[in-house]
Amino acid sequence: MILLAVVLVVGTTVVVSWSNGWFSSCDIPESIAPDVGLATPEAGGLRVVEQGFSYPANEWRGASVGAMLENTSDSIAYHTKITFTLLDADNQGIVGYGAEDDLIPIIMPHQRIGVGETVYPATPVAAESTVTGFRVNTETAQWLPSDALGDDYAPVTAEYRGAVHRNHKPPNTSQLHFVTKTDNCRPMRGWSPIALFRDGSGTLIGGTNTYVGLSAGCTRPGVEKWVTVRGLLPDAADDARTELYPYCDIQDPPNPRTFEPAPTSR
């Protein structure tokens, strides 16, 4: 069978893709210029609607932290930097806990998305501290108009299938299984997905990032993926309530450690 695609140019380029057996135009841009949009949204912004943690999450005194963010504005939050500050009994930040920054590529207007990490002490002083809470810090690089990603764009989601614990003691030995869902007309760029954990009552008790080099499944729908988590899952986590959030972008992410190239077509 010979497949032919025709690209019609009238003033602007129409991107043509092969999707579900039919050729269709795709208005999702290939990139966003750094000078597009606003430094802050005209109204609203990002807020934490739920958060929780488990400490110690393992014998290395790591803290499993997770939160649900909501974009309350009518703008798109693009490339939002996330950091976690662990707090002591006086509600002061604990110095010496190291955590890599993470980036959420896209948060659509009024969308909710999970953020999570397993944070470990980087100094002996921090290891002797007691974690009583944490604070979520956000910094968004760009706020885009609600239509900046085109009418064809929709957030990639995932159906969580379960966890496999190869060894309950050391970290980095658990894998999460999920199936991606996407209706986008072209492949997205895959970043590291994150998971949120809840106990049997549904209370949020932590979260974690996943290792680089394993796809977030942003390229096409119905793909089964296994990802290795960076820390242990909290003992009280009810696997049936775990939530998996793929992080997907329209272009290569600015941080190479989170980048997995997407194919040029579906």
Side-chain angles (χ1 to χ4, degrees):
M1 177 184 294
I2 299 176
L3 302 178
L4 240 212
V6 179
V7 178
L8 177 64
V9 180
V10 182
T12 59
T13 300
V14 176
V15 179
V16 176
S17 65
W18 175 256
S19 175
N20 298 325
W22 296 92
F23 287 110
S24 62
S25 62
C26 185
D27 69 351
I28 302 175
E30 293 291 334
S31 63
I32 295 293
D35 59 347
V36 172
L38 305 172
T40 59
E42 294 182 358
L46 297 178
R47 71 182 183 104
V48 176
V49 295
E50 186 182 13
Q51 68 181 69
F53 74 103
S54 292
Y55 174 82
N58 52 43
E59 60 188 281
W60 292 275
R61 300 184 69 80
S64 177
V65 298
M68 186 70 71
L69 291 184
E70 180 183 19
N71 180 1
T72 65
S73 77
D74 293 328
S75 303
I76 300 170
Y78 192 63
H79 287 184
T80 299
K81 178 180 177 181
I82 303 293
T83 56
F84 300 100
T85 301
L86 301 186
L87 305 175
D88 60 19
D90 296 323
N91 206 37
Q92 299 298 311
I94 301 175
V95 178
Y97 260 89
E100 295 181 359
D101 296 330
D102 204 357
L103 286 172
I104 306 177
I106 298 168
I107 313 177
M108 295 297 288
H110 309 291
Q111 179 188 0
R112 291 189 176 188
I113 193 168
V115 296
E117 185 64 274
T118 302
V119 189
Y120 292 96
T123 66
V125 173
E128 296 174 357
S129 304
T130 298
V131 178
T132 62
F134 70 99
R135 183 168 56 246
V136 182
N137 312 293
T138 65
E139 180 182 354
T140 298
Q142 292 172 267
W143 288 93
L144 306 176
S146 59
D147 60 352
L149 302 184
D151 293 334
D152 293 331
Y153 175 80
V156 178
T157 61
E159 177 187 338
Y160 180 72
R161 293 290 178 86
V164 172
H165 309 287
R166 304 192 183 281
N167 189 326
H168 280 277
K169 287 190 175 181
N172 315 332
T173 56
S174 297
Q175 289 189 318
L176 306 180
H177 181 207
F178 62 97
V179 177
T180 58
K181 297 181 179 182
T182 175
D183 295 322
N184 289 309
C185 51
R186 70 170 178 83
M188 300 293 99
R189 269 23 183 188
W191 297 27
S192 301
I194 70 98
L196 293 184
F197 306 116
R198 298 180 183 275
D199 63 17
S201 68
T203 300
L204 185 59
I205 60 170
T208 191
N209 205 324
T210 57
Y211 272 110
V212 178
L214 297 174
S215 174
C218 300
T219 57
R220 61 187 187 275
V223 176
E224 292 193 51
K225 292 294 179 182
W226 293 87
V227 291
T228 302
V229 300
R230 295 192 181 194
L232 289 177
L233 280 61
D235 291 338
D238 181 348
D239 194 49
R241 297 177 182 270
T242 296
E243 302 163 11
L244 198 290
Y245 293 89
Y247 284 178
C248 305
D249 200 353
I250 63 169
Q251 62 185 344
D252 296 354
N255 188 343
R257 77 178 180 88
T258 60
F259 173 51
E260 176 171 312
T264 56
S265 66
R266 293 172 68 177

